[in-house]
Amino acid sequence: MKRVLTGITTTGIPHLGNYIGAIKPSIAESNDDGIKSYFFLADYHALIKSHDPQLIRESSFKIAATWLALGLSDRSSFYRQSDIPEIFELTWILTCFTAKGLMNRAHAYKAAADLNIEDGNDVDKAITMGLYSYPILMSADILMFKANEVPVGKDQVQHVEMTRDIALRFNHNYGNIFTIPEAVTNHSQETIIGLDGRKMSKSYNNIIPIFLEEKPLRKLINKIKTNSLEPGVPKEYKDCTLFALYTYFATSEEIESIKKMYAEGIGWGDMKSILFEKIFNFFDPYRSTYMEYLRDEAFLEKRLRLGGEQAREEASAYLKEIKSAIGIK
Ligand code: TRP
């Protein structure tokens, strides 16, 4: 059976871009009989980016509540990275098979180092070993569960390539221990546009969270950037953020009728109301479950622990094999 695995860094609140690019296709996979899926909260990856305990904690619960409320199947393995100590043991083993030069080329580290040079600072300023070794931890996440496919955004493809490199180097020495994974990017091919017209991303601070209450959601949608054409003036739907977001939640008939309204000069205020209704109603059936989960942290905690225990059983049996291969009992 095909094994699909992906991680979610716990430094943000799930937004529409995450929904369209990752959550929706992942939930579909979790319900597919031909696939064994692993989805996990990469909370130790979050520690590289954030030293705010409140943020990491809150983000973990919100992400878990979102995925579960939107229908993640129990068939899928759903756990917190930090609940599987075997991953960190494997990280060290892999570290001993990772060329330092390979890590020098990892784009997150390289971008930080290049920026330091550009700014005339010491090349290593404010760069932790966590950032530097980030791809090794990610390799351990992937190899620990023998994943064949790793759905990721384009920015993560390099890390999966590095995982392959590291695994092949290990296998070359010890035989066929690791499964060689492949990055899959078709999930997130589309660039979901945010409030300001750039890619929707927490780093641009232009996101629309999935489960916003009515008023704040209306307010955010009203902030979406448009041009300044008056009502009554025909408008282009191409390159319009309102239209682009609408298409993800509407039927093709609805989309056609909106195109007509653009040609007839719909006002931006009206289009914003239509978009608000669409998004709010789309997620409304799941909202109460989401709120219930968030109120019941004990339930979420239990669910994550259980997922962790199950994943750990697989991980610890496999780690024994790996250790035995390298001569450590
Ligand atoms: N680094 C990934 C990101 O920032 C998250 C992640 C951590 C991940 N471990 C992973 C993704 C393993 C896929 C597989 O998006």
Side-chain angles (χ1 to χ4, degrees), residues 5-9 40 42 45 49 134 138 141-142 150 152 156:
L5 173 145
T6 201
I8 313 120
T9 309
F40 67 96
H45 271 103
K49 296 183 188 168
Y134 176 111
M138 187 159 155
D141 292 332
I142 295 169
V150 184
V152 282
Q156 297 295 318

Side-chain angles (χ1 to χ4, degrees), residues 254-302:
E254 289 171 322
I255 294 170
E256 284 314 307
S257 107
I258 290 289
K259 282 183 185 169
K260 261 199 211 115
M261 291 161 86
Y262 269 67
E264 287 161 3
I266 186 176
W268 291 133
D270 290 342
M271 184 54 202
K272 284 177 172 175
S273 295
I274 292 174
L275 180 63
F276 161 79
E277 295 285 334
K278 193 87 229 152
I279 293 174
F280 189 78
N281 292 336
F282 185 89
F283 291 108
D284 206 39
Y286 313 102
R287 196 177 314 271
S288 58
T289 315
Y290 172 77
M291 298 306 286
E292 240 168 75
Y293 286 162
L294 270 195
R295 268 195 301 271
D296 193 355
E297 282 194 4
F299 167 84
L300 283 178
E301 186 60 39
K302 225 169 102 188

